Amino acid sequence: MTKKIVVLPGDGIGPEIMNEASRVLDVVNQSHKLGIEVDTHAFGGASYDIDGKPLTETALAACREADAILMGSIGGPQYDTAPRELRPERGLLRLRSELDLFSNLRPAMLFPELASASSLKSELVAGLDLMILRELTGGIYFGQPRGEETVDGKRMSFNTMVYNEDEIERIARSGFEIARSRNKRLCSVDKANVLEVSELWRAVVIEVSKDYPDIELSHMYVDNAAMQLVREPKQFDVIVTSNLFGDILSDAAAMLTGSIGMLPSASLDKNGKGLYEPVHGSAPDIAGQGVANPLATILSLSMMLRYTLKEAAAADAIDKAVSAVISGGTRCRDIASGQANETVVGTVEMGDAVIAALGNA
Ligand code: IPM
Ligand code: MG
């Protein structure tokens, strides 16, 4: 049976890292007889440059029909002056919203060999494996009303942080389910000491918890959660939180590993269809130099094979190949720490190394 995936390379380092992920996909597609067909579309700034908008109807329709989507990264300073509605980020937000990809899994885990790349002391992060589950299609990112006005001669802007109980319930359920498949601890992060929307969030999470008596639920205010993430990150198993808080906390969590260039993510709808992308951004400062680390995109591919396409053997093969490359000392410069056994390579060489390791598996 043919499976269709849409590839959206995007902007900045996106096309470079996606080339390597695509080469890896070609290899496993053949070796594991996956029968995957790939359809590539411009997205973000690249699409704006060609078609005047970050997400065309053609690309959106292709994403809707596909079994899964693999994305590189979007954005860049050259688009900062584009009309707000046409900026690359708006394309991504629209795609998330149109496909109802409400459940955003952002794992932060540390490859043991990379502990010294963290800005925290190795003992604080060694063995770190936490999952941030971010609500992705609601909250202040999409809340109405939003806009700008002039009031009493002064410019004023506003956004609305809003959740209804159904939106909270479905992300809470995802959180409990994920915790169940891991270490059975769920920490819900909110700002219930100040915000009404967080009071409802907390109340609904507690209601849902009645269906998950085997999961240990805790609650934490977002400011404390930010502090605890850098103080003692290993206290967490799964964190579930709203769109904006999750945006911020997931960057902090990713950096704890010292290797944001290694972290994949998934955004899923209620049927498990998903958009997969690296956690890192488009890194315009190093775009086109051939030094970007493609491993987060390659691991996003593996996550896609595992979670949406149910091709665990192919996913295992990729994960093993990446681990072998890391243990062998091959590093892109973002994860290099100057140890004697390291070889620092560029984007394409890293892709070559993963493909060679796949051949040895
Ligand atoms: C992310 C990014 C996006 C977000 C931007 C690019 C719109 O920061 O995926 O975390 O804020 O959600
Ligand atoms: Mg972000």
Side-chain angles (χ1 to χ4, degrees):
M1 217 179 63
T2 314
K3 288 168 186 156
K4 271 201 205 159
I5 71 162
V6 164
V7 164
L8 304 171
D11 309 322
I13 58 172
E16 295 163 63
I17 54 182
M18 192 57 83
N19 268 339
E20 301 317 307
S22 298
R23 292 204 297 138
V24 171
L25 173 58
D26 288 345
V27 171
V28 292
N29 206 6
Q30 296 218 347
S31 61
H32 288 75
K33 304 196 173 31
L34 304 179
I36 291 177
E37 270 177 21
V38 178
D39 183 16
T40 304
H41 288 267
F43 183 52
S47 171
Y48 175 76
D49 290 340
I50 302 168
D51 291 305
K53 42 173 138 164
L55 174 66
T56 63
E57 297 312 313
T58 317
L60 177 59
C63 290
R64 257 192 229 292
E65 278 161 30
D67 294 298
I69 303 151
L70 186 63
M71 192 196 116
S73 53
I74 53 151
Q78 68 271 46
Y79 305 110
D80 287 352
T81 50
R84 187 183 302 130
E85 286 308 315
L86 299 177
R87 287 188 202 151
E89 292 77 10
R90 287 298 171 111
L92 180 58
L93 295 176
R94 174 145 186 248
L95 189 58
R96 288 172 177 169
S97 169
E98 293 275 349
L99 271 54
D100 212 12
L101 305 171
F102 68 93
S103 179
N104 181 210
L105 283 68
R106 299 193 165 191
M109 46 120 30
L110 195 71
F111 284 73
E113 298 90 345
L114 300 180
S116 57
S118 173
S119 48
L120 293 194
K121 294 190 199 86
S122 295
E123 64 267 26
L124 285 179
V125 291
L128 180 74
D129 177 8
L130 75 90
M131 176 70 84
I132 298 200
L133 179 64
R134 169 187 177 194
E135 198 291 326
L136 201 60
T137 52
I140 197 166
Y141 270 55
F142 295 93
Q144 296 289 345
R146 62 189 295 161
E148 304 154 301
E149 280 171 16
T150 302
V151 176
D152 298 333
K154 289 190 208 303
R155 290 171 298 161
M156 186 192 84
S157 307
F158 50 93
N159 293 87
T160 304
M161 192 184 271
V162 53
Y163 275 109
N164 69 39
E165 55 186 337
D166 295 348
E167 291 173 300
I168 302 170
E169 184 186 334
R170 66 180 184 172
I171 193 71
R173 282 198 190 281
S174 302
F176 284 106
E177 294 291 338
I178 293 167
R180 194 169 258 175
S181 71
R182 294 172 44 104
N183 291 321
K184 301 196 165 39
R185 286 183 295 116
L186 181 66
C187 178
S188 171
V189 170
D190 61 39
K191 189 69 186 172
N193 51 343
V194 177
L195 304 174
E196 282 81 354
V197 61
S198 280
E199 272 181 48
L200 178 64
W201 178 280
R202 192 175 282 218
V204 173
V205 171
I206 291 171
E207 285 158 28
V208 173
S209 74
K210 308 269 183 318
D211 293 340
Y212 297 88
D214 52 322
I215 306 301
E216 183 191 317
L217 173 66
S218 59
H219 303 273
M220 199 177 274
Y221 298 137
V222 62
D223 48 351
N224 186 24
M227 184 170 81
Q228 295 301 330
L229 270 177
V230 293
R231 193 185 77 91
E232 200 197 332
K234 284 192 270 181
Q235 71 185 278
F236 297 107
D237 178 19
V238 181
I239 290 177
V240 62
T241 192
S242 59
N243 204 340
L244 178 63
F245 298 162
D247 179 46
I248 299 166
L249 294 181
S250 64
D251 264 24
M255 201 60 222
L256 290 176
T257 69
S259 41
I260 189 164
M262 299 290 298
L263 298 176
S265 76
S267 306
L268 305 176
D269 73 4
K270 64 178 193 310
N271 302 315
K273 171 171 168 172
L275 170 97
Y276 294 81
E277 57 175 310
V279 166
H280 62 70
S282 59
D285 52 321
I286 58 164
Q289 296 176 19
V291 297
N293 186 349
L295 290 178
T297 313
I298 291 170
L299 291 170
S300 298
L301 165 66
S302 143
M303 232 180 152
M304 179 183 88
L305 292 169
R306 189 181 305 282
Y307 291 108
T308 297
L309 302 180
K310 312 288 182 212
E311 296 285 1
D316 286 345
I318 295 175
D319 290 354
K320 272 200 198 120
V322 170
S323 294
V325 166
I326 295 296
S327 334
T330 306
R331 305 274 186 271
C332 284
R333 68 180 197 191
D334 62 310
I335 51 170
S337 59
Q339 284 160 14
N341 65 337
E342 288 179 354
T343 316
V344 179
V345 299
T347 312
V348 175
E349 291 84 358
M350 186 56 105
D352 289 341
V354 173
I355 289 168
L358 271 170
N360 296 335

